[in-house]
C-alpha cells in the first residue's frame, strides 16, 4: 500500500511513524516533509503542502491508496475535495467541513444555533462597532479573535480598554492577519484548565482519542509569547471520566450532528479545544485536523491501528471499529530555535540524533530541520519534539527530559516545566 502524507512538521512525522506500524504499508511519501522525516518517508521538498494541483498530480502518478492531509490551510482550501474528484482516497474534512476551524464566525454561530457550550460573543465587521461593544461590556480581560486562519496567532487577550482598541485596530485596520481579520469575534474570557481532545469522526460516530494538554507559551510558568506549542502531555489529569462523559453528551455528539444538519458532515480528525470552567466544559476552539504537538503524545499511546481508524473514518464504519489507547502516559518536550516565536537563526548543525533519527529512550519527531551537506541542521522555530512514554506521567516526563540532554544545537531553547501543572494536579 502506498500512502502520501501532506505537511512537514512533527505532527506529520508522528502520523507517519504510527501508520508504518501497519504491515500493509509499503511506501510512504511526505509532501514536502523535512530533513528528519526523511528517516521514515520519502520526502518531496519541491511540493508545498498548499499546492493542491501538485499534490493531486503526485497522488495520481504514484497511485496513492490513501492521502492524509494534515495541515489546516490545504484542508480549508479544498485539497480533499480535489483529491476525491481525481478518484483518490483522502483522509481529512472537505472545504465545507473545514470551516469549523477556518472561520471562527462559522464555528461560533454553529455552537449558538445548536446549544453547544461556548463563551458569549458578538461578531463585527466594523472596528468602531467592535470597540464600542468592548467598552459597553467593560469586562477585562476580554478576547478578540480574527475570523480566519492566522497560523494560531489570531487570538488576542487584552487586559485594558486601551489594549483592546489596539488589538481591534491591529486585526481590522492594519490587517496583521490579512483578510482573516475582515471580521472579528469579541468574546467573554473564560477561566479553567484547558484540555485538548482529538477525535475520529465519520460524520455520525465519534471516537475520542486520549486527552492531552498543550503548553502554548514560550517560557516556563506560562510566561512569554504564545507559540505553536512548546510541549504536551497525555492523558490530561483534569479530564476525568465524568467530564469525558459530559463532553461526549454536551459537545462532541452535538457538534458532529450539527455539522451533518448543516449539510457539511465532518469526516476526519476533529480537535476540541476545551476549557473546564466552573459551570462545565466549554469549547474554546475547534480545529479541523490533528493538533501539533498534541499528536506527538496521543499517537504513541494508540494501541489499535491508525490506518484502520482512518479507513473507517472515510468509509463511515467507525461505529464498528476499535480505537484503543494504552493506560500509560506520554510527554513531549519541544526543542526550539533561540528567539522563537520571534526571529531566530536557521541552518545550525544539530548533534546527538541517532542513526534512526531518534535518541536513546525516546522517539524524536522532526518538526523543523533539514539536511545540508549530509548534516542535520535547524530549519524552523520548533525544531524537534522529544517524546517518551511511561506507566505514569512522572516517568514519562523524567524520561523525555533525560532524552533531551543528548541533543544539542546552538541557541536551543526548551521549557523545563512541561507536565509540571499536570503532575501537581495529580497530587
Ligand atoms: P486559539 O488560537 O483559538 O487556540 O486560542 C489560543 C489560546 O487563547 C487558547 O488556547 C486559550 O488559552 C486562549 N483563549 C481563547 N479563547 C479564550 C477565551 N474565551 N477565554 C480565555 N482564554 C481564551
Ligand atoms: N496545539 C494547538 C494546535 O494544534 O492548534
Amino acid at each position: 500500500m502506498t500512502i502520501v502524507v501532506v505537511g512537514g512538521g512533527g505532527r506529520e512525522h508522528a502520523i507517519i511513524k504510527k501508520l508504518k506500524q501497519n504491515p500493509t504499508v509499503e511506501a510512504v511519501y511526505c509532501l514536502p516533509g523535512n530533513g528528519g522525516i526523511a528517516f521514515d518517508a520519502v520526502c518531496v521538498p519541491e511540493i508545498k503542502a498548499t499546492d493542491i494541483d501538485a499534490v493531486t498530480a503526485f497522488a495520481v502518478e504514484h497511485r496513492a491508496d490513501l492521502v492524509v492531509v494534515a495541515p489546516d490551510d490545504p484542508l480549508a482550501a479544498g485539497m480533499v475535495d480535489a483529491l476525491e474528484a481525481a478518484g483518490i482516497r483522502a483522509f481529512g474534512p472537505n472545504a465545507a467541513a473545514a470551516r469549523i476551524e477556518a472561520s471562527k464566525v462559522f464555528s461560533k454561530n454553529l455552537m449558538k444555533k445548536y446549544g453547544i457550550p461556548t463563551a458569549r460573543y458578538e461578531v463585527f465587521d466594523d472596528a468602531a462597532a467592535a470597540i464600542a461593544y468592548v467598552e459597553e461590556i467593560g469586562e477585562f480581560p476580554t478576547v478578540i479573535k480574527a475570523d480566519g486562519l492566522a497560523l494560531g496567532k489570531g487570538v488576542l487577550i487584552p487586559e485594558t480598554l486601551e489594549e483592546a482598541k489596539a488589538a481591534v485596530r491591529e486585526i481590522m485596520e492594519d490587517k496583521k492577519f490579512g483578510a482573516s481579520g475582515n471580521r472579528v469575534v469579541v468574546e467573554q474570557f473564560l477561566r479553567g484548565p484547558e484540555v485538548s481532545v482529538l477525535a475520529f469522526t465519520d460524520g455520525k460516530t465519534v471516537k475520542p482519542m486520549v486527552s492531552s494538554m498543550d503548553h502554548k507559551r514560550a517560557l516556563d510558568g506560562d510566561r512569554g509569547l504564545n507559540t505553536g506549542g512548546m510541549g504536551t502531555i497525555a492523558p490530561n489529569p483534569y479530564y476525568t471520566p465524568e467530564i469525558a462523559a459530559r463532553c461526549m453528551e454536551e459537545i462532541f455528539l452535538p457538534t458532529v450532528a450539527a455539522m451533518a444538519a448543516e449539510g457539511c458532515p465532518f469526516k476526519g480528525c476533529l480537535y476540541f479545544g476545551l476549557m473546564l470552567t466552573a459551570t462545565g466544559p466549554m469549547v474554546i476552539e475547534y480545529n479541523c485536523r490533528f493538533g501539533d504537538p498534541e499528536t506527538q503524545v496521543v499517537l504513541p499511546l494508540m494501541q489499535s491501528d491508525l490506518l484502520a481508524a482512518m479507513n473507517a473514518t472515510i468509509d463511515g464504519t467507525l461505529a464498528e471499529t476499535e480505537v484503543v489507547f494504552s493506560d500509560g502516559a506520554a510527554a513531549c518536550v519541544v526543542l526550539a530555535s533561540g528567539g522563537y516565536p520571534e526571529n531566530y537563526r536557521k541552518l545550525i548543525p544539530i548533534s546527538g540524533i541517532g542513526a534512526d533519527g531518534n535518541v536513546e529512550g525516546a522517539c524524536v519527531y522532526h518538526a523543523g530541520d533539514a539536511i545540508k551537506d549530509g548534516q542535520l541542521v535547524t530549519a524552523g522555530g520548533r525544531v524537534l519534539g522529544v517524546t517518551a512514554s511511561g506507566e505514569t506521567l512522572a516517568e514519562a516526563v523524567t524520561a523525555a527530559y533525560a532524552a533531551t540532554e543528548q541533543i544539542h544545537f546552538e541557541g536551543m531553547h526548551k521549557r523545563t516545566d512541561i507536565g509540571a501543572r499536570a503532575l501537581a494536579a495529580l497530587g
Side-chain angles (χ1 to χ4, degrees), residues 2 4-6 29 31 44 46-69 74-75 77-90:
T2 297
V4 173
V5 174
V6 178
Y29 295 95
L31 317 183
V44 186
E46 301 75 40
I47 300 185
K48 282 209 198 100
T50 48
D51 190 338
I52 293 180
D53 291 343
V55 168
T56 306
F58 185 94
V60 170
E61 187 192 332
H62 290 80
R63 298 172 186 274
D65 297 294
L66 173 67
V67 178
V68 179
V69 183
L75 290 166
M79 187 175 281
V80 167
D81 311 60
L83 288 164
E84 284 176 351
I88 301 278
R89 200 172 166 77

Side-chain angles (χ1 to χ4, degrees), residues 94-100 106 110 256 258-267:
N94 60 20
R99 285 180 299 166
I100 199 163
F106 173 85
L110 184 87
V256 168
M259 291 296 280
E262 291 294 307
C264 49
F266 189 100
K267 288 183 160 210

Side-chain angles (χ1 to χ4, degrees), residues 213-275:
M213 183 193 288
D214 196 1
H215 298 69
K216 284 187 201 264
R217 300 294 202 94
L219 306 176
D220 284 6
D222 291 328
R223 290 174 303 112
L225 294 171
N226 253 320
T227 71
M230 292 298 294
T232 39
I233 59 96
N236 185 320
Y238 292 101
Y239 193 71
T240 61
E242 295 70 42
I243 290 178
R246 239 183 118 170
C247 288
M248 183 59 102
E249 282 310 305
E250 297 173 16
I251 296 173
F252 305 162
L253 291 170
T255 299
V256 168
M259 291 296 280
E262 291 294 307
C264 49
F266 189 100
K267 288 183 160 210
C269 173
L270 184 52
Y271 168 126
F272 298 89
L274 307 170
M275 184 84 88

